Amino acid sequence: MPLSKPPPPPPKPEFGEPSTPKDFNEKFKQKPLTKYMNPCALEEKQSMKCLDDNNYEKDKCNYFFMQYRECKKKWMEERRRLRRAGEL
């Protein structure tokens, strides 16, 4: 029996801007060095709530995980840009 190609992955959904507050960079500059601040707290809470609601079946929460990853990726790109510009 010949092997068949697996189906192509579904298209990656488009997400809007992350939920990072507009004044987050100012708060980030003023925080103590040891304090952790999460700019994607809303996306993190949504993904954890999804896991709780679905008995920790990760397959049912892929959308929320992708949303969280996208938020973190955009945030890290913004931090890199600010550091290169000397603003952070």
Side-chain angles (χ1 to χ4, degrees):
M1 183 166 125
L3 296 175
S4 61
K5 287 185 176 179
K12 189 175 178 183
E14 291 292 322
F15 300 110
E17 287 299 309
S19 65
T20 307
K22 299 296 178 201
D23 62 343
F24 189 83
N25 286 332
E26 292 304 315
K27 289 181 181 178
F28 190 80
K29 289 178 190 175
Q30 298 169 2
K31 76 172 184 67
L33 192 58
T34 57
K35 187 170 190 274
Y36 175 72
M37 293 178 74
N38 186 359
C40 302
L42 177 66
E43 289 83 355
E44 180 182 29
K45 286 179 185 175
Q46 288 174 336
S47 62
M48 293 307 292
K49 183 180 182 324
C50 179
L51 284 174
D52 286 341
D53 293 346
N54 292 297
N55 289 329
Y56 290 85
E57 290 184 40
K58 293 180 182 179
D59 294 342
K60 294 183 179 180
C61 300
N62 282 337
Y63 177 79
F64 295 103
F65 295 148
M66 285 193 302
Q67 205 171 16
Y68 180 67
R69 271 187 240 122
E70 284 297 310
C71 179
K72 289 298 257 192
K73 184 167 61 171
K74 287 180 181 179
W75 167 243
M76 292 307 291
E77 288 170 0
E78 176 67 12
R79 286 203 47 199
R80 283 186 200 109
R81 186 189 68 75
L82 290 172
R83 283 191 176 163
R84 286 184 191 124
E87 297 176 23
L88 187 62

